[in-house]
Amino acid sequence: MNRNDITEMIIGAKITKGIKWADVATKIGLSKEWVTAACLGQMALDAKQAAIIADTFELPAEAVAILQAVPYKGSLPTAVPTDPLIYRFYELISVYGTTFKELIHEEFGDGIMSAIDFKMDLAREANPMGDRVSITMSGKFLPYKTY
């Protein structure tokens, strides 16, 4: 059994049991965004969190240890995403990436926005022209250092 097997078990159980990510996050006591990323194999859980996930999704006992291992992060199946929703984020970075970079450098200086010291909030935004997806991302600014 490996992490991908566990991710597939989680997704299967989520579908068959009608589980919502927000409900799992409430059990863990963290954001739905972080818990979803962990369940999809992008974050390591601690022992208590892994036990809750295993119980929630009725995973085999050996899954608890695997859920605690540091995963291989950023593992998309192709270099350019082919899933239409994920591709739109790729497209967003292709179009606005230089704008993000320019504005962050202008505001903060030479550095990066951390994806480690990071948080995200995804919410539905009601709109009479059709509901909108609102995503707020916040990452610590990390300046490049001279040495």
Side-chain angles (χ1 to χ4, degrees):
M1 176 178 296
N2 63 42
R3 189 60 184 89
N4 290 334
D5 296 332
I6 295 169
T7 298
E8 292 301 319
M9 285 185 233
I10 288 171
I11 292 168
K14 179 188 182 298
I15 293 166
T16 60
K17 295 174 171 287
I19 297 170
K20 299 284 189 191
W21 292 122
D23 296 333
V24 179
T26 298
K27 290 181 181 185
I28 300 285
L30 295 172
S31 73
K32 71 181 180 299
E33 294 79 10
W34 191 91
V35 171
T36 303
C39 288
L40 296 178
Q42 296 300 305
M43 304 293 172
L45 297 157
D46 66 25
K48 182 179 177 186
Q49 294 163 344
I52 293 168
I53 294 300
D55 182 59
T56 301
F57 294 103
E58 297 180 5
L59 302 175
E62 63 262 31
V64 174
I66 296 170
L67 288 167
Q68 295 175 71
V70 176
Y72 187 85
K73 293 179 168 83
S75 52
L76 291 176
T78 59
V80 176
T82 57
D83 178 278
L85 191 141
I86 296 172
Y87 179 80
R88 291 300 172 251
F89 285 96
Y90 178 80
E91 180 182 45
L92 184 137
I93 294 302
S94 294
V95 174
Y96 291 103
T98 54
T99 303
F100 292 150
K101 178 178 172 52
E102 183 64 26
L103 292 174
I104 288 170
H105 289 301
E106 182 177 273
E107 181 70 25
F108 294 93
D110 189 14
I112 62 169
M113 182 180 86
S114 176
I116 296 170
D117 189 342
F118 178 84
K119 67 180 181 174
M120 173 178 49
D121 181 60
L122 186 142
R124 178 185 294 253
E125 186 178 297
N127 186 301
M129 300 295 290
D131 287 356
R132 302 180 66 83
V133 177
S134 175
I135 301 173
T136 303
M137 297 183 291
S138 174
K140 181 180 181 180
F141 179 74
L142 302 171
Y144 284 102
K145 296 184 179 187
T146 55
Y147 53 94

